[in-house]
Amino acid sequence: MQAAANKFQENLGPEPSDVQADYKHLPGGTMQALAWFGTNDVRMVAAPIPDITEPDDVILQVTGTTICGSDLHLYHGEILALQKGDILGHEFMGKVFKVGPNVKNLIKPGQRVVSSFQISCGKCEYCQENLSSFCDRTNASSLQDYMYGQRDAGFFGYSHFTGGFPGGQAEYVRVPIGEINLLPIPDNVPDEKALYLSDVLPTSYHTVGDTGVKSGDVVGIWGLGPIGQCAARWALLKGASRVIGIDRIHSRLQFAESKTGIETIDFSQYPDVTKRIYELCPRGLDVALDCGTFHEPKTLMHKIQKTFMLETDVPETINEMIVSVRKMGRCGLISAYAGFANAVNVGALMEKGVRLIGNGQAPVRKYWEEILNDYIIPGKFDPTFMITHRVPIEDLAKLYPAFDNRIDGVEKVFIETQFSSAPSSGCPHTTRVDDWNSI
């Protein structure tokens, strides 16, 4: 699949882009980085340290990075146009190491900054509206243009389908158009609270806001990984009267009940999720949010179709949401779907007047200052609640299968480098993956 996708994209030729993924290297220097080499095959490599390529570039020394549930789609080879040696990672922060000659604002060497997971040009129609994830000018993927009709922005560390930009699961990163795509972090906000402004916090905030959660709503959340856990908290902060989380991982269900206080459904015990929802909420949900990674088919029909690549994504969660919401209910998709799903219940969608909303990739720049200033600094939202582990970057290749199999209750991990500060008060201390339970 990857070879065919890359060949097809090569034949289509690149689309116009303001920024290219290729970069110069500092002479003689190497760094530790996590690279993809095939399905379920990621490795730590000695990669060249990036240098300034364009005058708007900023080079970061990474002080914190992480692994995201959507990275598992790369790990399993489910995202198109991966190439061997691609450096992964789209959620990271660091200290400014070097700046290009056009960088004139607060982005100075030594400044602590967090990076948006998407790369925004700052000039196109979408960027002017702060919809940075929809930037017209930073993704050269002709394949995405062909499949979707238009392209998203370029993303760090997420295949050549999103521009082929080397990611942040590394000790150094080149950030194009740094004045636009980096947010300075004040000294009183530790890295553990700032790192997740790069993705998980804006993404979870976006699905709640974009799907229109309002005071009094009953909200169902499919998937209780970090995005779902944060979305539950945002929904409650927006005034939701009830939040019901759906998952099958015992540790996640327990985590959500104990740390957020929501109701839960274990779909390994209640396979008919919609029936269980109507038992709990006879009127139906007002809002359903797909925050899951349930790309593993539940039924034999979809297992066969996915095995033979007759579909790239499965519709089972979408169908459960459409049926579970009330008439005129709202369903938001923030989970990372990539291609085609068969047998979507379009009849229920139409007859019930359901609003099925593709939230899109979250426009980080629209939200990150609001989340930092209105929620994190005043203490209304403390993202450290979801951090279960802290590991050194040397363990990243081992972390992927541990994260994939939920070893030792792993949820969100803070990955440190040689440039990281010591753990903040109340946050996990460094452990090695080999020391975790059940390894």
Side-chain angles (χ1 to χ4, degrees):
M1 181 181 73
Q2 300 300 341
N6 284 314
K7 188 66 177 176
F8 189 58
Q9 181 155 282
E10 181 184 328
N11 289 338
L12 288 172
E15 292 291 334
S17 174
D18 278 9
V19 57
Q20 300 299 317
D22 295 333
Y23 57 73
K24 297 177 184 175
H25 302 138
L26 287 175
T30 62
M31 64 177 181
Q32 295 186 87
L34 188 284
W36 184 90
F37 285 90
T39 300
N40 299 342
D41 182 5
V42 293
R43 308 173 197 170
M44 293 304 298
V45 299
I49 297 174
D51 199 358
I52 299 296
T53 300
E54 301 291 339
D56 296 309
D57 287 348
V58 172
I59 307 300
L60 294 189
Q61 293 174 326
V62 174
T63 58
T65 184
T66 190
I67 182 172
C68 181
S70 56
D71 287 327
L72 294 179
H73 303 314
L74 299 167
Y75 181 62
H76 295 308
E78 295 174 323
I79 301 299
L80 297 175
L82 280 159
Q83 296 179 12
K84 290 184 177 181
D86 283 347
I87 297 174
L88 305 187
H90 58 273
E91 204 168 1
F92 59 92
M93 67 174 297
K95 289 185 291 190
V96 175
F97 174 62
K98 198 173 182 180
V99 300
N102 286 357
V103 179
K104 306 293 185 184
N105 68 2
L106 297 176
I107 308 299
K108 308 286 186 185
Q111 170 71 51
R112 294 172 60 240
V113 291
V114 64
S115 174
S116 165
F117 77 85
Q118 66 241 193
I119 300 164
S120 168
C121 74
K123 300 175 182 177
C124 72
E125 172 189 351
Y126 294 98
C127 290
Q128 288 296 303
E129 295 179 12
N130 256 346
L131 299 174
S132 49
S133 56
F134 300 106
C135 177
D136 276 331
R137 299 180 176 177
T138 57
N139 183 3
S141 174
S142 50
L143 179 59
Q144 189 173 131
D145 211 27
Y146 175 82
M147 288 181 64
Y148 300 164
Q150 297 181 357
R151 289 163 285 147
D152 280 340
F155 300 159
F156 288 102
Y158 216 76
S159 89
H160 295 260
F161 194 63
T162 62
F165 293 92
Q169 290 174 359
E171 293 181 299
Y172 292 83
V173 184
R174 171 203 171 215
V175 178
I177 318 176
E179 287 190 334
I180 298 294
N181 296 300
L182 295 171
L183 177 70
I185 299 299
D187 291 339
N188 63 338
V189 177
D191 283 7
E192 291 94 337
K193 291 185 179 181
L195 168 60
Y196 305 106
L197 286 165
S198 57
D199 179 3
V200 63
L201 295 178
T203 294
S204 55
Y205 192 77
H206 174 60
T207 190
V208 168
D210 193 51
T211 316
V213 174
K214 62 183 187 298
S215 182
D217 278 346
V218 178
V219 180
I221 296 177
W222 273 253
L224 291 174
I227 296 291
Q229 301 274 358
C230 288
R233 293 192 170 211
W234 291 126
L236 292 170
L237 283 169
K238 295 294 183 183
S241 61
R242 293 175 71 184
V243 176
I244 302 170
I246 299 99
D247 209 303
R248 62 176 176 82
I249 307 300
H250 177 71
S251 61
R252 288 183 169 181
L253 294 161
Q254 193 174 47
F255 194 89
E257 291 170 358
S258 64
K259 294 217 173 188
T260 306
I262 66 172
E263 303 168 66
T264 61
I265 296 173
D266 181 345
F267 70 78
S268 67
Q269 294 184 13
Y270 295 97
D272 191 339
V273 172
T274 56
K275 179 182 178 182
R276 181 57 178 161
I277 286 174
Y278 280 110
E279 289 172 352
L280 296 173
C281 182
R283 183 172 176 265
L285 304 170
D286 295 296
V287 177
L289 303 176
D290 183 356
C291 300
T293 53
F294 304 139
H295 291 246
E296 309 95 339
K298 294 180 179 179
T299 62
L300 180 61
M301 178 178 72
H302 288 291
K303 288 178 181 178
I304 293 171
Q305 290 184 80
K306 195 162 185 193
T307 298
F308 289 99
M309 289 303 296
L310 299 174
E311 62 181 1
T312 57
D313 301 277
V314 292
E316 291 154 315
T317 296
I318 295 172
N319 287 342
E320 287 175 356
M321 294 198 306
I322 291 170
V323 175
S324 297
V325 294
R326 64 172 174 82
K327 290 171 282 188
M328 300 296 292
R330 285 126 35 224
C331 298
L333 305 183
I334 199 68
S335 182
Y337 290 90
F340 301 93
N342 302 327
V344 174
N345 191 346
V346 68
L349 177 72
M350 182 272 168
E351 294 291 347
K352 292 176 69 178
V354 172
R355 273 52 182 160
L356 180 61
I357 301 164
N359 299 131
Q361 300 288 346
V364 170
R365 290 182 57 234
K366 181 177 181 179
Y367 302 115
W368 59 1
E369 290 186 17
E370 176 188 356
I371 295 171
L372 175 63
N373 295 320
D374 295 351
Y375 290 98
I376 293 178
I377 291 176
K380 295 178 182 178
F381 195 110
D382 183 353
T384 62
F385 85 93
M386 62 182 158
I387 305 174
T388 55
H389 297 75
R390 180 184 178 112
V391 303
I393 193 170
E394 292 85 353
D395 281 7
L396 245 176
K398 294 178 180 179
L399 178 60
Y400 266 81
F403 185 75
D404 191 24
N405 293 297
R406 287 94 175 186
I407 300 297
D408 200 47
V410 62
E411 284 297 334
K412 204 65 175 173
V413 180
F414 186 95
I415 299 163
E416 66 183 19
T417 74
Q418 61 173 311
F419 306 113
S420 300
S421 299
S424 299
S425 176
C427 292
H429 285 260
T430 307
T431 58
R432 303 302 299 261
V433 173
D434 284 341
D435 295 332
W436 292 2
N437 297 327
S438 306
I439 294 292

